[in-house]
Amino acid sequence: MAVASPKLIEILKRARKIVFLTGSGISAESGIPTFRGAEGLWKNFKPEELASFNAFIKNPDRVWEWYQFRRDIILNSKPNAGHFAIKDFEKHFPSVIVVTQNVDNLHRAAGSSEIYELHGNIMKNYCIRCKKRYDFEKFTLKEECPKCDCGGLIRPDVVWFGENLNDSVYSAAENSVDEADFVIVSGSSNIVYPAALLPQIAIRKGIFTVEINIERTELSHMMDEFIAGKSGDIIPSLLREYLES
Ligand code: OAD
């Protein structure tokens, strides 16, 4: 049975600029746990209790251990059919942009050309005192939070709750959505702001919006179409159905 409606396929045929807005669900089939939901919790901590500067200062080792746990999984994971299908859209449309809340590098590993990482990249780090960078270092495999030569704590270069997103990355993401004629939102609970504003920009502008998720989210009722299912199944099917139409 087709996953896409005839209307969706017709609109896709006229699309020139497609934006994918992705969250942790798109990497679930690569074996990376999502943040929320029963399987998303690490040692019963909510992400909001670990992903903040205050949490880090209070207990650097615990926060580092969480990132370490996630890095270990990410280092051993590969892009899945969803990531690869997004890359394959590039063969058939003039512009395909990925805006992701994920810090796992998997869209890059799949070969996507234009990616905006709203929340940073988990493999990059810097010293909170002197700002020296420690990208892709071996010490990331240690349990306790490492220190810089200057004695400062080293933190991951990701955006924490209460911190601002990188201005130029967020503006580029906003512009991409603003200029898009087709927006696909997949694998996000759409509750973390400002990332959750991006689909709303598209909705307000009347850009055709599709959500692909295993369950409905806060935004589902506002989207033009909601397709229930795993991104690794639905995104490749969508492309196949478009190509066969
Ligand atoms: P969440 O964990 O909040 O939501 C994951 C979403 O993916 C849920 O809506 C699931 O239903 C859906 N999902 C799970 N498996 C899926 C699959 N195979 N295919 C499609 N959908 C699937 O993750 P995010 O929305 O990405 O931020 O979380 C947003 C931010 O909260 C993260 O970037 C992180 C976190 O705290 C920071 O650390 C700043």
Side-chain angles (χ1 to χ4, degrees):
M1 206 183 93
V3 302
S5 69
K7 181 181 172 195
L8 186 156
I9 295 293
E10 277 318 301
I11 292 173
L12 196 51
K13 278 183 183 165
R14 294 194 298 271
R16 315 291 300 159
K17 187 162 184 175
I18 302 181
V19 174
F20 284 89
L21 300 173
T22 68
S24 65
I26 196 143
S27 298
E29 290 154 86
S30 295
I32 302 175
T34 56
F35 291 94
R36 297 173 183 82
E39 286 172 18
L41 297 183
W42 178 76
K43 296 187 179 178
N44 292 327
F45 289 107
K46 293 190 183 130
E48 292 79 358
E49 291 166 342
L50 294 160
S52 79
F53 191 73
N54 280 350
F56 180 66
I57 291 301
K58 234 196 222 160
N59 196 337
D61 290 348
R62 184 174 68 196
V63 173
W64 187 263
E65 193 192 345
W66 183 50
Y67 280 94
Q68 171 54 17
F69 160 82
R70 292 171 53 204
R71 281 188 188 114
D72 278 350
I73 296 172
I74 288 166
L75 282 171
N76 289 307
S77 64
K78 293 193 175 69
N80 63 54
H83 298 102
F84 286 121
I86 292 176
K87 157 71 189 159
D88 287 344
F89 266 78
E90 291 182 21
K91 295 182 197 151
H92 309 287
F93 296 89
S95 168
V96 178
I97 296 173
V98 179
V99 176
T100 187
Q101 294 174 74
N102 298 348
V103 295
D104 61 23
N105 235 1
L106 291 187
H107 284 296
R108 193 164 289 112
S112 279
S113 318
E114 194 168 351
I115 306 164
Y116 297 105
E117 292 171 314
L118 296 174
H119 293 163
N121 187 305
I122 198 167
M123 298 303 167
K124 298 183 180 173
N125 304 277
Y126 66 93
C127 167
I128 63 169
R129 190 186 290 170
C130 72
K131 312 291 179 223
K132 181 175 170 189
R133 302 205 59 87
Y134 289 87
D135 292 345
F136 306 96
E137 300 283 324
K138 285 224 166 51
F139 65 70
T140 55
L141 298 175
K142 278 203 234 154
E143 291 290 316
E144 72 273 17
C145 183
K147 288 214 173 98
C148 176
D149 306 336
C150 78
L153 291 166
I154 296 173
R155 62 164 281 179
D157 189 4
V158 298
V159 178
W160 279 334
F161 287 98
E163 294 180 334
N164 291 330
L165 272 59
N166 177 301
D167 268 350
S168 58
V169 173
Y170 188 72
S171 303
E174 241 179 0
N175 288 340
S176 306
V177 171
D178 199 53
E179 291 165 5
D181 44 27
F182 202 98
V183 170
I184 299 176
V185 183
S186 190
S188 177
S189 55
N190 297 311
I191 60 168
V192 173
Y193 283 81
L197 284 174
L198 296 170
Q200 297 181 29
I201 292 173
I203 292 163
R204 267 202 304 275
K205 262 199 94 178
I207 297 165
F208 195 79
T209 50
V210 181
E211 184 179 34
I212 298 165
N213 199 308
I214 53 171
E215 61 190 18
R216 295 181 75 84
T217 70
E218 311 263 313
L219 281 185
S220 307
H221 69 284
M222 297 183 236
M223 310 293 285
D224 288 301
E225 296 209 5
F226 173 82
I227 305 176
K230 294 181 174 177
S231 46
D233 294 331
I234 305 292
I235 301 175
S237 301
L238 206 62
L239 184 58
R240 202 177 40 249
E241 288 170 22
Y242 163 77
L243 293 173
E244 286 169 0
S245 65

